[in-house]
Amino acid sequence: MTNLITVSNLVKRYNGTAVLDGVSLSVPAGCVTGFIGANGAGKTTTIRMIMGLSKPDAGDVVLLGEPFGPNADDATARRIKSRIGVVFDTCPFVGDLPVKTAGALMRAAFPESWRQGIFEDLLKQFDLDPKKRVKDLSRGMGMKLQLACALAHDPDLLVLDEATAGLDPLARDEILDLLRNFMASEQRGILISSHITTDLEKIADRVVCIDKGRIAFDVEKDEITDLAGVAHCRTAEFERVRESDLFAGAAPKNLRRAMSVDVLVPDRFGFAKRFPNIACDRATIDDYLQLMLEG
């Protein structure tokens, strides 16, 4: 399977402090990769490195099969960027510009691939007034404007940084449906960072977590939501669970609560057969994240 994004051992330091420390991840064609982590963990810095907006101190970025970075020549940068749609966590357009002028700027930037009809259809779908100024848009509407611009030049890859932030649940579902339609082609891919992990449970194929500038885990989403579980043990039960062979010799990730010990179980079905009297719930991405980082 061809990777649309390949990031290898990225390192970035600010004032001698490593913000990224050997970050590696990939987005294969046909895959939606969710990128999660706490504020300040390195998500946006990684995305800036991928997009060539900031230069890494070490490591490599390959986009759409070509090495890419701030030093890429103009022809390479234009060719690669014309195939990528980007939504940042804040709207980048000048505040005094009308919405339709933001579209005109994008049309000038992507003269060969821009589809004006798609842009206008998305403005109607998002209820975006073409005459309204960017600075008068809410955060959520600014995100919708960016997404309309990103989709209107027919990209092969979407890079979305908190693209559903600031949207109500109905609007988020509308955006997710658009992204599903975008992924109808198996040659396309999405990298999406988000704090709203329930959105990733609906759309992601893979989940990558960054913590303090390092990749904490990189797993198929189904391994979390379809297979993993959280067992709620009494202290005595936890000792039996910990000594079992269900964890391949590793110490199980666990968090002690007031009345129980929560244990991250890699296979909740196998766990239920071994310990039928211990409650074991399906794991969410939030559960998995908390236990992996804090357990």
Side-chain angles (χ1 to χ4, degrees), residues 77 82 199 227 244:
S82 69
D199 288 348
L227 191 58
S244 73

Side-chain angles (χ1 to χ4, degrees), residues 9-282:
N9 300 311
L10 282 189
V11 174
K12 183 64 177 179
R13 298 182 181 88
Y14 291 112
N15 299 322
T17 301
V19 178
L20 300 182
D21 188 7
V23 168
S24 298
L25 62 86
S26 63
V27 178
C31 178
V32 178
T33 298
F35 195 29
I36 63 175
N39 288 330
K43 299 190 302 298
T44 297
T45 301
T46 301
I47 288 174
R48 287 180 61 82
M49 301 287 136
I50 290 172
M51 296 309 304
L53 299 175
S54 185
K55 184 176 181 180
D57 294 310
D60 300 296
V61 175
V62 177
L63 294 182
L64 306 169
E66 297 189 71
F68 188 70
N71 295 326
D73 62 79
D74 289 344
T76 299
R78 283 196 300 271
R79 182 172 61 253
I80 292 176
K81 289 181 179 181
S82 69
R83 298 174 59 193
I84 302 174
V86 183
V87 176
F88 292 109
D89 57 348
T90 55
C91 190
F93 297 111
V94 174
D96 285 328
L97 290 179
V99 165
K100 64 179 181 181
T101 304
L105 290 175
M106 294 295 292
R107 183 173 66 240
F110 302 104
E112 296 180 0
S113 58
W114 183 258
R115 302 290 183 267
Q116 184 66 20
I118 292 177
F119 180 69
E120 292 175 357
D121 287 345
L122 287 171
L123 293 188
K124 292 178 182 177
Q125 181 176 335
F126 292 153
D127 198 24
L128 276 166
D129 183 352
K131 298 180 181 179
K132 196 166 187 177
R133 291 184 298 179
V134 170
K135 68 180 181 182
D136 295 327
L137 299 176
S138 67
R139 177 179 171 85
M141 296 304 277
M143 290 292 183
K144 287 184 175 182
L145 173 58
Q146 286 194 79
L147 189 59
C149 290
L151 292 172
H153 70 90
D154 195 26
D156 297 315
L157 171 66
L158 285 177
V159 178
L160 312 175
D161 189 4
E162 299 292 343
T164 57
L167 301 177
D168 62 66
L170 291 177
R172 294 208 314 272
D173 283 342
E174 181 183 16
I175 297 301
L176 295 179
D177 284 341
L178 276 176
L179 298 182
R180 290 188 190 97
N181 291 336
F182 174 81
M183 290 300 297
S185 169
E186 294 185 358
Q187 303 306 311
R188 291 171 168 172
I190 298 175
L191 175 65
I192 174 171
S193 78
S194 181
H195 288 297
I196 307 173
T197 57
T198 52
D199 288 348
L200 299 183
E201 289 181 6
K202 295 175 183 178
I203 194 172
D205 300 297
R206 193 165 194 87
V207 179
V208 180
C209 174
I210 188 170
D211 182 51
K212 298 175 183 177
R214 296 183 178 183
I215 299 300
F217 60 81
D218 181 347
V219 297
E220 295 288 336
K221 188 258 298 185
D222 290 348
E223 290 185 24
I224 300 174
T225 58
D226 291 359
L227 191 58
V230 179
H232 309 288
C233 308
R234 299 183 182 90
T235 300
E237 292 171 333
F238 173 62
E239 295 304 321
R240 289 193 294 119
V241 169
R242 183 169 60 180
E243 293 170 1
S244 73
D245 59 358
L246 294 176
F247 302 94
K253 294 286 188 179
N254 66 90
L255 283 172
R256 294 186 179 272
R257 309 294 188 183
M259 303 296 292
S260 66
V261 181
D262 288 351
V263 182
L264 182 62
V265 176
D267 180 356
R268 71 179 189 275
F269 304 105
F271 182 90
K273 290 181 180 178
R274 179 70 67 86
F275 300 101
N277 296 323
I278 299 177
C280 186
D281 298 328
R282 170 186 172 273

